[in-house]
Amino acid sequence: MVDPGEKITSTLKREFMEEALNFLECSEIEREKSKSMIEKFFNDGYEVYRGYVDDHRNTDNAWMETVAVNFHDESGTSVGAFPLSAGDDAANVHWMDISKDLLLYASHNDLIAKVVAKHSAHW
């Protein structure tokens, strides 16, 4: 979730560091190294979708909207090299292969299909 007045790119960086790198529990040296790599990686992304999404929390009076951005690590040497560690309120975080058969939440399959098409990939 984006905090009031916060830019989406700042939210992405903050959430990735907190949820996927357990940033709050890292040493100061690890934090600085991670911050630098995250800043560089999240500098250039492709906006996949912006707007209303199908979500079980939607009602006639309130609904979820999202911005999905693809940040691609072609070689796997930047973000792909991070040792993931669940932090804050993340229960389990890990890199994984995806396929069309994977059961994902709400409209996430549609968002991934757009990324797959952009990269002329197969899933």
Side-chain angles (χ1 to χ4, degrees):
M1 298 289 187
V2 179
D3 291 336
E6 186 177 39
K7 292 185 179 188
I8 293 170
T9 52
S10 297
T11 304
L12 291 169
K13 293 173 196 174
R14 176 177 49 80
E15 287 295 324
F16 187 83
M17 288 189 294
E18 288 176 8
E19 306 300 339
L21 300 178
N22 200 10
F23 192 72
L24 301 175
E25 301 294 322
C26 292
S27 71
E28 191 59 39
I29 293 168
E30 291 170 319
R31 283 185 192 184
E32 287 308 314
K33 180 181 176 188
S34 295
K35 239 182 192 176
S36 166
M37 292 176 75
I38 293 293
E39 195 65 42
K40 181 179 178 187
F41 182 73
F42 283 101
N43 196 28
D44 187 32
Y46 163 75
E47 188 173 296
V48 176
Y49 179 81
R50 177 185 294 262
Y52 168 86
V53 287
D54 185 27
D55 191 285
H56 72 276
R57 297 169 287 188
N58 291 345
T59 69
D60 289 342
N61 301 312
W63 53 90
M64 297 298 289
E65 293 188 13
T66 195
V67 177
V69 181
N70 174 233
F71 297 92
H72 193 69
D73 182 6
E74 183 71 35
S75 65
T77 58
S78 58
V79 174
F82 276 113
L84 300 180
S85 176
D88 203 18
D89 61 349
N92 185 6
V93 61
H94 58 276
W95 298 118
M96 62 185 284
D97 292 328
I98 60 170
S99 75
K100 287 186 218 176
D101 301 326
L102 193 61
L103 296 175
L104 297 175
Y105 186 75
S107 39
H108 290 163
N109 269 340
D110 298 334
L111 300 174
I112 290 175
K114 290 179 184 220
V115 173
V116 167
K118 168 148 177 63
H119 293 285
S120 301
H122 173 75
W123 70 306

